[in-house]
Amino acid sequence: MKLSSTIAALALAMPAAFFAQDSVAVYSDQYPNTYSSGSANVYPFTQESKRFNDWSISVGAGIPLMQTATLTSIKDGDGMGKDVFGYSAYISVDKAITHAFGLKLQYDRGETRQGFFNTKNDDASPTMPIGARTQYDAISILGDINFSNLLRRVDNKSPYRWALHGYAGIGTLAYRAYVEDMAGQRLAYEAKAFNPGFAWFGQGGAGLKYKINNTIDLEGRVMYVITGDDTFDGLPTTARTSDNFFNTTLGLTFNLGKHQSHLFWHDPLQEVYYKLDVLEQRNQDIEVCKSGDNDNDGVCDDWDRQLDTPAGARVDGAGVALDTDLDGVIDLYDKCVTVPGPVENDGCPTTMPSTGGIITDNTRTLEGIEFDLDSDRILPSNTPILNNAVNYINSSTGAYRVVGATDTRASDAYNQRLSERRANNVKNYLVQQGVSSGKLEAVGRGEKDLKYPECDPATKCPEWKNRANRRVYFEAK
């Protein structure tokens, strides 16, 4: 083959990725890679930091069998002719890109023999009318899939010495087909490499590798070669079909590099489980909470910011007792947990502020007790507000009206009944919490008392406004 053919084939192989291995180098001189986990230790890839060998050279030899052509190598048992066998050899430069995928730049040379006799030893006769042989040279780029690594199950007990590989690729083919018949032997067809009309071919197949040691692998392959040419066997047909052949080979792979193992024999899952076993063997007891937890609040004294938390008090992550309303009275002692008040009044206000959800002398209303659609059940989120109302009503001398309301969905009659049930449920709750029933009157106003009047019909408003209309509030009588 001409040197230009080899150069062109090498050019096709160069775009292969060279950065597919893990690195053991630690890199902290620059900001972390945005595609990393955010650690300050970012591992760049360099040739010095590679952990596995990823280059190798493969050589092998075998027997090509022409079976999809006018003239074949193996006869069909009709008693005419005999089986004829050629030879083949290959050499390739291999690059493992990941533990499961690589590329090969491969050169093949060989001779197929087909027809009724061996043209090297025998002559044509009436019973053996024609024989042929084809000498070929080929350069191809092959993708290499390591199925054993790709589909490998986690099994730390079995040695990893066998691997199934799959190959497929394209290249260029040059050949000379010789035919011998009663008229003698002659050159029938010739094709040159890199000829767009005739010389492109493809091949694919499988190989089974055995790891002899860290440097040498033994491999048996079966490849199917598609020549793309009807004249490859030396005898064309009118059907213009491609002459194809099988190539069975036995070869060796020599793994290159200074590292102990090759990337194709590296199983990431096995390594992860191995490291876990090592860590488990090195596991040491870690002493936690050396100073103890003297106030028994669940936060170790080593990082507890309040070492004398009262028993039963809820604390935050720093061990400080919770004070939800920030009034200086911790929740454990605060009788109005969600409303700030002075310490002398147990955290409850002496004069109610005019904020939403609290009874005031100015508005005389309590807003914010809302209900789910078509429901009269008091929600757990409303109980703190109602408990504050209990304290206020019990501390006052007046009487109050408990007013129930709905949104504009359903009929007027249905909404009236629903609003009455809501008002009665709230009244009953307050009575159960210690409010005198004589201070309360339950009233239902249905959909006639909307907080947002523009929500009639309900489809005109967002759901949060409709929910605000489904409420119970208080009025001073």
Side-chain angles (χ1 to χ4, degrees), residues 216-363:
I216 302 176
D217 304 330
L218 177 67
E219 181 181 25
R221 286 191 204 171
V222 177
M223 302 292 289
Y224 186 67
V225 181
I226 303 174
T227 67
D229 197 342
D230 180 47
T231 60
F232 186 85
D233 65 344
L235 191 65
T237 65
T238 57
R240 285 297 300 171
T241 58
S242 174
D243 293 339
N244 307 325
F245 63 91
F246 289 96
N247 192 15
T248 58
T249 59
L250 186 66
L252 296 173
T253 297
F254 300 93
N255 300 316
L256 308 177
K258 62 181 180 180
H259 301 287
Q260 181 177 6
S261 179
H262 192 271
L263 184 57
F264 263 172
W265 291 106
H266 169 63
D267 181 5
L269 288 177
Q270 297 287 358
E271 182 177 0
V272 168
Y273 279 82
Y274 169 74
K275 289 182 177 179
L276 290 177
D277 289 341
V278 172
L279 289 175
E280 184 177 358
Q281 294 172 3
R282 295 181 179 179
N283 183 34
Q284 298 179 355
D285 292 334
I286 300 175
E287 187 176 356
V288 180
C289 212
K290 294 181 180 179
S291 302
D293 180 14
N294 292 323
D295 55 7
N296 199 31
D297 62 356
V299 179
C300 292
D301 290 350
D302 295 336
W303 50 84
D304 195 334
R305 294 175 56 192
Q306 188 178 54
L307 298 174
D308 57 350
T309 305
R314 295 184 302 148
V315 298
D316 59 17
V320 178
L322 294 179
D323 179 11
T324 303
D325 52 14
L326 302 177
D327 59 0
V329 182
I330 64 173
D331 293 353
L332 178 65
Y333 304 133
D334 199 333
K335 293 185 177 180
C336 299
V337 176
T338 61
V339 182
V343 175
E344 56 271 15
N345 199 35
D346 295 328
C348 290
T350 55
T351 301
M352 289 298 191
S354 56
T355 57
I358 303 300
I359 302 177
T360 69
D361 290 331
N362 296 327
T363 62

Side-chain angles (χ1 to χ4, degrees), residues 76-93:
D76 57 6
D78 58 2
M80 298 182 63
K82 62 180 181 179
D83 300 331
V84 289
F85 304 98
Y87 67 89
S88 67
Y90 70 86
I91 182 171
S92 67
V93 178

Side-chain angles (χ1 to χ4, degrees), residues 398-455:
Y400 297 89
R401 184 175 293 112
V402 183
V403 182
T406 68
D407 60 19
T408 57
R409 295 182 176 94
S411 65
D412 290 347
Y414 182 85
N415 285 336
Q416 179 62 35
R417 293 191 298 272
L418 178 59
S419 66
E420 292 172 358
R421 293 200 307 272
R422 288 173 176 171
N424 283 314
N425 283 353
V426 172
K427 176 185 175 181
N428 293 336
Y429 177 86
L430 297 178
V431 171
Q432 291 172 4
Q433 300 303 314
V435 177
S436 172
S437 61
K439 284 189 172 186
L440 301 175
E441 177 188 1
V443 177
R445 293 179 180 169
E447 59 184 66
K448 298 180 179 63
D449 190 8
L450 298 177
K451 183 175 182 179
Y452 294 100
E454 66 271 20
C455 297

Side-chain angles (χ1 to χ4, degrees), residues 67 72-83 116:
Q67 287 303 110
T72 60
S73 301
I74 304 297
K75 301 300 174 292
D76 57 6
D78 58 2
M80 298 182 63
K82 62 180 181 179
D83 300 331
F116 292 88

